[in-house]
């Protein structure tokens, strides 16, 4: 069975501080991992995926297969980063998707 | 913006009634998904379809049914067997090769 765990429901940081949103997964195969974001009154949308290895809006995420983690990081948080963040996995053997419960990030001025 | 359209935005169901939620996409995506979202919880997969005329159960399929007769459409029926249907329902689609999912605006279903 595949599973995604986001241990923090709520995360609050001050503007300019580093932020890390944790994501751990369990899956026996080689997963496709994603971070999605939902800003207030907007649709859920892709933030980044592990295979592209790019930085979006200053966020990066590294897949650590040894620790089965895919934590999302940003060195200097901005107020506009306040949103709900979901980590998601797609099983490459069946196409089934699994989302974590989400982390609400609040960046205080 | 376009892409994925869910309708209606709000839906009310009487006890013992089946209701159907619509999901249409014009992205030419092969895969489509239905999720349920409850307060304080993440998205839970109800059904998914990777190709026309084929679909698989997700983690919480009981009390729901789907069809995939056309590539662009993936309607979800909430049957009377679903004892706790009040929730927010999200539809998504993605291209081949485990591409990122594109989401609709959702349908909020309530029981009268």
């Amino acid at each position: 069975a595949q599973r995604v765990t986001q241990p923090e429901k709520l995360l609050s940081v001050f503007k300019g501080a580093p932020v890390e949103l944790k994501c751990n997964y369990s899956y026996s195969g080689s997963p496709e991992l994603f971070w999605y974001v939902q800003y207030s009154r907007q649709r859920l949308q892709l933030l980044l995926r592990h295979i592209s290895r790019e930085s979006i809006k200053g966020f990066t995420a590294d897949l650590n297969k040894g620790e089965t983690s895919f934590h999302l990081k940003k060195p200097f948080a901005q107020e506009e980063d306040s949103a709900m963040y979901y980590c998601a996995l797609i099983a490459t053997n069946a196409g089934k998707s699994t989302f974590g419960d989400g982390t609400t990030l609040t960046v205080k001025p | 913006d376009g892409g994925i359209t869910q309708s209606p935005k709000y839906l009310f169901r009487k006890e013992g009634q089946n209701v159907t939620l619509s999901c249409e996409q014009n992205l030419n995506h092969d895969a489509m998904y239905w999720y349920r979202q409850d307060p304080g919880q993440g998205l839970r997969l109800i059904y998914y379809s990777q190709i026309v005329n084929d679909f698989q159960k997700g983690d919480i399929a009981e009390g729901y049914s789907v069809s995939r007769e056309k590539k662009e459409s993936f309607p979800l029926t909430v049957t009377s067997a679903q004892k706790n249907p009040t929730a927010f329902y999200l539809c998504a689609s993605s291209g081949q090769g485990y591409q990122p999912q594109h989401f609709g605006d959702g349908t909020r279903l309530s029981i009268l």
Side-chain angles (χ1 to χ4, degrees):
Chain A
Q2 59 199 73
R3 186 179 177 89
V4 174
T5 303
Q6 293 180 249
E8 304 131 333
K9 275 197 177 301
L10 302 170
L11 186 60
S12 182
V13 301
F14 284 101
K15 177 183 172 181
V19 63
E20 181 180 51
L21 289 82
K22 291 185 168 51
C23 172
N24 290 91
Y25 68 90
S26 64
Y27 175 58
S28 56
S30 183
E32 290 278 342
L33 287 156
F34 304 84
W35 276 99
Y36 289 87
V37 61
Q38 187 166 30
Y39 301 103
S40 179
R41 299 190 191 87
Q42 293 187 28
R43 291 185 181 187
L44 191 59
Q45 59 187 283
L46 175 73
L47 180 62
L48 54 81
R49 61 185 298 193
H50 89 272
I51 199 169
S52 60
R53 302 183 67 82
E54 57 188 345
S55 173
I56 304 293
K57 298 184 179 183
F59 285 97
T60 58
D62 289 320
L63 175 59
N64 186 324
K65 291 189 177 181
E67 295 183 358
T68 59
S69 68
F70 188 53
H71 303 327
L72 183 68
K73 299 177 184 178
K74 185 169 183 177
F76 307 104
Q78 302 300 312
E79 289 181 68
E80 55 265 32
D81 295 328
S82 296
M84 173 73 95
Y85 292 80
Y86 291 97
C87 182
L89 175 154
I90 289 195
T92 52
N93 64 346
K96 182 183 175 186
S97 54
T98 299
F99 279 71
D101 284 343
T103 297
T104 301
L105 174 65
T106 301
V107 181
K108 296 180 284 188
Chain B
D1 55 329
I4 302 270
T5 302
Q6 289 187 242
S7 62
K9 195 168 185 176
Y10 299 96
L11 188 57
F12 299 92
R13 193 191 91 168
K14 293 181 181 178
E15 294 284 348
Q17 188 180 50
N18 293 353
V19 290
T20 297
L21 284 60
S22 170
C23 179
E24 305 276 332
Q25 53 101 357
N26 61 4
L27 300 168
N28 199 34
H29 283 167
D30 289 307
M32 296 188 74
Y33 307 80
W34 273 108
Y35 297 93
R36 170 181 172 136
Q37 190 173 31
D38 294 286
Q41 296 190 35
L43 282 67
R44 291 185 289 168
L45 184 64
I46 304 173
Y47 270 97
Y48 63 109
S49 166
Q50 293 184 283
I51 197 167
V52 175
N53 292 321
D54 188 40
F55 50 83
Q56 288 77 39
K57 292 182 179 180
D59 297 314
I60 55 165
E62 187 174 347
Y64 300 97
S65 66
V66 293
S67 63
R68 187 85 188 278
E69 297 175 1
K70 297 186 295 182
K71 187 175 186 177
E72 59 269 22
S73 179
F74 192 40
L76 172 75
T77 297
V78 184
T79 74
S80 56
Q82 172 50 244
K83 297 306 177 190
N84 186 22
T86 297
F88 188 64
Y89 292 88
L90 276 171
C91 179
S93 72
S94 68
Q96 285 186 349
Y98 312 112
Q99 293 297 312
Q101 294 179 30
H102 295 245
F103 287 85
D105 285 327
T107 293
R108 188 167 299 279
L109 175 62
S110 301
I111 300 303
L112 290 177

